[in-house]
Amino acid sequence: MKAHVDKDTCIGCGLCPSISPEVFEMDDDGKAKAITGEVPEGNQDTAKEAEESCPVDAIKVD
C-alpha cells in the first residue's frame, strides 16, 4: 500500500499527520507529505482514515 500527497491541492491543515503520524508529516513548505511512499505494516487503517478525512482530497492511499 502506498501513500501520496498532492502538494498542489494540499492546504496544510495538518489533519493527516494528527491521524496517522507514522505515515504523514508536515514539510518545510507547510504542506503535508508522505514520510515514505510505502505505508508501514499496521498503519493501513490510519492512512486510509487520513485519506478519507482530507478536506481537499489531496491524499491518495492505495
Side-chain angles (χ1 to χ4, degrees), residues 2-26:
K2 295 185 185 245
H4 172 74
V5 178
D6 181 346
K7 291 223 175 217
D8 293 331
T9 305
C10 179
I11 59 172
C13 73
L15 192 59
C16 56
S18 70
I19 293 171
S20 189
E22 300 82 10
V23 179
F24 302 101
E25 66 184 3
M26 300 306 287

